[in-house]
Amino acid sequence: MADIEEARKQFERIDTDGDGFITAAEFRTALAQGGDWNVTEAVAEAVIKSQDLNGDKLLSFDEFWAHLNK
């Protein structure tokens, strides 16, 4: 099980506009900053879609946390 405080910090680092949701573009940027420059927008969208429980094409903290605890 993940640490919720560490997960919140990671979520906030990825959520660069601070709106409480991670978009595919924000996810792709975070991966690029981590050194993974090969992730395309389509791949980032697919990853978000795979974790997006309500189908809004955004990743909320609850969805992010649920994925970490699978």
Side-chain angles (χ1 to χ4, degrees):
M1 178 179 281
D3 173 32
I4 195 165
E5 293 305 318
E6 185 59 33
R8 175 98 37 213
K9 288 177 191 173
Q10 290 299 320
F11 183 87
E12 290 171 356
R13 182 183 62 81
I14 298 168
D15 177 24
T16 56
D17 65 5
D19 68 354
F21 297 96
I22 296 173
T23 64
E26 288 172 326
F27 183 69
R28 181 175 178 227
T29 298
L31 290 175
Q33 289 172 343
D36 193 347
W37 293 97
N38 297 318
V39 176
T40 64
E41 189 73 23
V43 169
E45 288 172 1
V47 171
I48 294 293
K49 183 178 180 180
S50 73
Q51 299 174 21
D52 178 17
L53 302 176
N54 66 358
D56 64 358
K57 298 182 181 176
L58 300 169
L59 200 60
S60 69
F61 179 74
D62 290 340
E63 291 165 330
F64 183 76
W65 180 245
H67 177 73
L68 290 177
N69 284 294
K70 280 187 174 177

